[in-house]
């Protein structure tokens, strides 16, 4: 009896392991079979800071002015159930390494300036660099706030911005009096004067534009990790009045000083000025400024002719802050209930929906169809997803998350349907069905969706059932899987078609 139980358990583990390996194969095959031949795309990952689910126009129309992000999302695979970690550092670890932050211990489970993963960890920069990319970073790091643990030690050819987390929007210092206060740097060296006097969103965006223009004639693709500090506190929008920190007008405490003369408070549609709460209005102005910066980045891609060969992934790092006590950063205001209302429980730092459900989309014009993806998607999937679109396999087995490349976006089937196929195949195999029989059963569960796609799509799903050997035999299975898939798809087509 004991040996029987052990044998059953071993078989279940074998099937699960096989499905995991098959999923990696599935990603690779989908990139081969569903996307046309093209050179490796540029890759830009955009992360905003504390932008809640409702702090973007497409989720909250008429209340938030973000025309550039809305236009980009309209041409993207828009993830309606897109998730992050509950706070900034954990989200950055997940997105950057393809691993949940707890895999590296306790240091990265909350916002931290300590080193959060060891040197040599596979990440977006090292992976893409090893595959022929120039690697750049502009903006916030917050995964080790000192030079020995900074971006240069984790795969970046060029790095610009802050080592630490949030900074003053105009003087670019971290929390005064801390060892991380002086943080604004370029390529491992602190910039003298910290570029005081220019808004942090403009600096980060200008650096991104410079990188794009610098690479327009290059034969080598680039990866840009673009991490904005906005709209994290301290909220500060001075316009041309750079020597006057944002403050309420003493003659009218419902208005900000010089508000009528600062363009970020005055969008063309009048959305921001229609908000009666001055603190909400300030936050909306910061969002407007952020959206403009991202718009400049997209404009640079268009004008340099690189837009159609650039894969863009966008996400916020967590839910809304909502309330802030102030006095933590330079020129830091106390703010109360300043985000837009969300229809979820919780906020930043909460593991409830409101703390982790954030705006997110994947964009590649001409390659990824504009559509809504209603299945759950998480930033931890970024690394394998990018690898899938480029057509590369990740050899590191500690990356055990899901690539969404061909499955959730390019093929035109949702992750839900893919999971149905996998579960159906596994169930049939446990019942003793053969590989061929289980594969056909799995495809039949989603046949209406499969039939609407091409026969090539069928070739992607069927091989899942055939890869049950160890990793060393994986590649020998590919030829068998493809041959069997062709036969199986023909048989299914004969069964369904009149």
């Amino acid at each position: 009896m004991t040996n029987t139980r052990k044998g059953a358990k071993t078989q279940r583990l074998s099937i699960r392991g096989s499905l995991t390996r098959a999923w990696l194969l599935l990603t690779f095959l989908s990139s081969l079979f569903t996307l046309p031949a093209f050179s490796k795309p540029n890759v830009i990952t955009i992360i905003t800071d504390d932008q809640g689910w409702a702090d973007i126009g497409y989720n909250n129309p008429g209340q938030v002015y973000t025309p550039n992000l809305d236009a980009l999302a309209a041409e993207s695979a828009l993830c309606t159930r897109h998730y992050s970690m509950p706070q900034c550092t954990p989200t950055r670890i997940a997105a950057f390494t393809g691993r949940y932050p707890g895999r590296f211990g306790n240091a990265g489970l909350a916002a931290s300036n300590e080193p959060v993963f060891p040197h040599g960890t596979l990440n977006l920069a090292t992976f893409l660099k090893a595959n022929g990319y120039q690697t750049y970073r502009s903006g916030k790091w917050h995964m080790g706030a000192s030079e020995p643990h900074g971006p240069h030690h984790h795969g970046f050819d060029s790095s610009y911005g802050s080592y630490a987390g949030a900074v003053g929007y105009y003087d670019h210092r971290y929390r005064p009096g801390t060892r991380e206060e002086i943080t604004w740097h370029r390529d491992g060296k602190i910039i003298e004067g910290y570029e005081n006097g220019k808004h942090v969103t403009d600096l980060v965006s200008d650096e991104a534009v410079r990188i794009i223009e610098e690479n327009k004639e290059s034969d080598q693709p680039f990866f840009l990790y673009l991490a904005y500090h906005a709209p994290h506190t301290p909220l500060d929008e001075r316009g041309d009045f750079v020597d006057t920190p944002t403050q309420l007008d003493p003659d009218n405490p419902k208005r900000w000083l010089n508000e009528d003369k600062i363009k970020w408070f005055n969008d063309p549609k009048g959305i921001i000025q229609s908000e009666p709460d001055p603190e909400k209005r300030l936050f909306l102005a910061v969002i407007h400024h952020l959206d403009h910066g991202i718009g400049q980045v997209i404009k640079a891609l268009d004008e340099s002719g690189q837009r159609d060969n650039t894969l863009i992934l966008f996400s916020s790092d967590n839910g809304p802050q909502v309330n802030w006590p102030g006095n933590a950063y330079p020129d830091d205001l106390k703010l109360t209930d300043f985000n837009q209302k969300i229809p979820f429980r919780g906020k930043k730092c909460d593991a409830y929906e409101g703390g982790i459900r954030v705006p997110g989309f994947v964009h590649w014009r001409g390659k990824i169809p504009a559509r809504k993806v209603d299945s759950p998607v998480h930033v931890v999937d970024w690394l394998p997803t990018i690898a899938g679109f480029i057509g590369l396999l990740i050899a590191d087995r500690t990356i055990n998350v899901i690539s969404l490349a061909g499955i959730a976006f390019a093929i035109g089937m949702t992750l839900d349907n893919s999971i149905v196929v996998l579960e159906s195949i596994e169930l049939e195999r446990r019942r003793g069905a053969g590989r061929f029989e289980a594969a056909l059963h799995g495809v039949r569960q989603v046949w209406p969706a499969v039939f609407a796609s091409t026969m090539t799509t069928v070739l992607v799903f069927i091989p899942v059932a055939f890869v049950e050997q160890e990793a060393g035999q994986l590649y020998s299975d590919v030829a068998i899987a493809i041959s069997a898939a062709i036969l199986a798809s023909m048989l299914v087509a004969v069964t369904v078609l009149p």
Side-chain angles (χ1 to χ4, degrees), residues 29 33 436 455 458-460 462-463 466 476-491:
L29 290 174
F33 294 139
F436 185 79
M455 188 174 294
V458 181
L459 296 180
V460 176
I462 295 204
F466 295 88
S476 65
D477 287 335
V478 174
I480 298 173
I482 293 174
S483 300
I486 293 171
L487 176 61
S489 61
M490 292 175 64
L491 291 174

Side-chain angles (χ1 to χ4, degrees), residues 165-213:
V167 296
Y169 278 22
Y170 288 87
D171 73 355
H172 318 127
R173 291 181 298 133
Y174 186 61
R175 298 175 183 243
T178 65
R179 66 180 181 179
E180 296 89 6
E181 177 182 358
I182 309 305
T183 187
W184 201 254
H185 72 281
R186 178 181 292 280
D187 297 337
K189 297 181 180 179
I190 296 297
I191 299 173
E192 185 176 355
Y194 327 132
E195 298 182 306
N196 192 346
K198 188 168 183 178
H199 197 285
V200 67
T201 294
D202 295 331
L203 290 174
V204 171
S205 300
D206 289 351
E207 178 71 2
V209 170
R210 182 193 68 79
I211 291 165
I212 291 167
E213 292 176 346

Side-chain angles (χ1 to χ4, degrees), residues 319-331:
Q321 176 71 51
V322 181
N323 301 304
W324 182 247
N327 295 319
Y329 303 98
D331 304 309

Side-chain angles (χ1 to χ4, degrees), residues 157-317:
D157 296 314
S158 176
S159 173
Y160 171 81
S162 67
Y163 290 123
V167 296
Y169 278 22
Y170 288 87
D171 73 355
H172 318 127
R173 291 181 298 133
Y174 186 61
R175 298 175 183 243
T178 65
R179 66 180 181 179
E180 296 89 6
E181 177 182 358
I182 309 305
T183 187
W184 201 254
H185 72 281
R186 178 181 292 280
D187 297 337
K189 297 181 180 179
I190 296 297
I191 299 173
E192 185 176 355
Y194 327 132
E195 298 182 306
N196 192 346
K198 188 168 183 178
H199 197 285
V200 67
T201 294
D202 295 331
L203 290 174
V204 171
S205 300
D206 289 351
E207 178 71 2
V209 170
R210 182 193 68 79
I211 291 165
I212 291 167
E213 292 176 346
E214 182 181 279
N215 283 274
K216 64 181 178 182
E217 302 296 336
S218 177
D219 294 329
Q220 187 176 12
F222 69 83
F223 164 56
L224 171 59
Y225 179 85
L226 181 56
Y228 284 94
H229 298 79
H232 194 295
T233 55
L235 306 186
D236 199 353
E237 290 294 343
R238 307 179 189 182
D240 295 331
F241 305 91
V242 294
D243 296 325
T244 305
T246 300
Q247 55 192 283
L248 291 172
D249 188 335
D251 296 327
N252 186 354
K254 291 293 185 181
R255 305 285 295 172
W256 299 100
L257 192 63
N258 301 314
E259 181 175 339
D260 293 338
K261 301 176 183 177
I262 299 172
K263 65 178 180 179
W264 308 118
F265 286 93
N266 298 277
D267 65 275
K269 293 186 176 181
I271 291 173
I272 299 173
Q273 284 302 309
S274 68
E275 171 55 61
D277 186 321
E279 295 182 3
K280 280 186 167 64
R281 225 167 36 247
L282 173 58
F283 184 79
L284 291 174
V286 172
I287 291 286
H288 179 195
H289 197 165
L290 170 67
D291 178 79
H292 172 79
I294 294 174
Q296 294 300 106
V297 174
I298 303 305
K299 181 181 178 182
L301 288 172
D302 283 329
E303 293 181 349
S304 64
Q306 300 180 80
R307 174 76 175 277
D308 291 344
N309 196 38
T310 301
L311 172 66
I312 302 171
L313 294 88
F314 171 84
S315 178
S316 175
D317 64 348

